[in-house]
Amino acid sequence: DLGKKDSNNNFIKGDVISLETTNSYINASDHLVATIGIDNLIVVSTSDAILIASQDKSHEVKNIVEKVRSFHV
């Protein structure tokens, strides 16, 4: 369960400021994330990486995470 969505159908976790942002997943675990005018995106900010992807590519997140991990080895 991702939790509750806001009035713009966004799931927001962490320090996030969003304007005119809709249908998005934004998780800011380490830094402030600000968005303006985005729709249908996944934004995840951690201490060592930032992922920005279209939600229609969410099935490819596992692949990019593996590449990021191998990059940091």
Side-chain angles (χ1 to χ4, degrees):
D1 182 31
L2 297 177
K4 289 184 121 180
K5 292 185 176 183
D6 68 10
S7 61
N8 290 318
N9 206 36
N10 299 307
F11 171 80
I12 294 177
K13 182 177 180 184
D15 294 329
V16 176
I17 299 170
S18 63
L19 299 173
E20 299 177 19
T21 295
T22 54
N23 306 309
S24 295
Y25 173 89
I26 307 164
N27 186 335
S29 63
D30 230 29
H31 304 282
L32 171 68
V33 170
T35 63
I36 301 172
I38 66 169
D39 179 58
N40 205 37
L41 289 184
I42 300 167
V43 180
V44 179
S45 173
T46 66
S47 63
D48 61 347
I50 298 170
L51 168 71
I52 303 169
S54 176
Q55 285 196 22
D56 65 350
K57 297 293 185 180
S58 63
H59 61 281
E60 295 184 35
V61 168
K62 183 178 178 181
N63 293 335
I64 198 72
V65 168
E66 289 173 2
K67 290 183 183 206
V68 168
R69 285 185 179 151
S70 67
F71 183 80
H72 284 293
V73 172

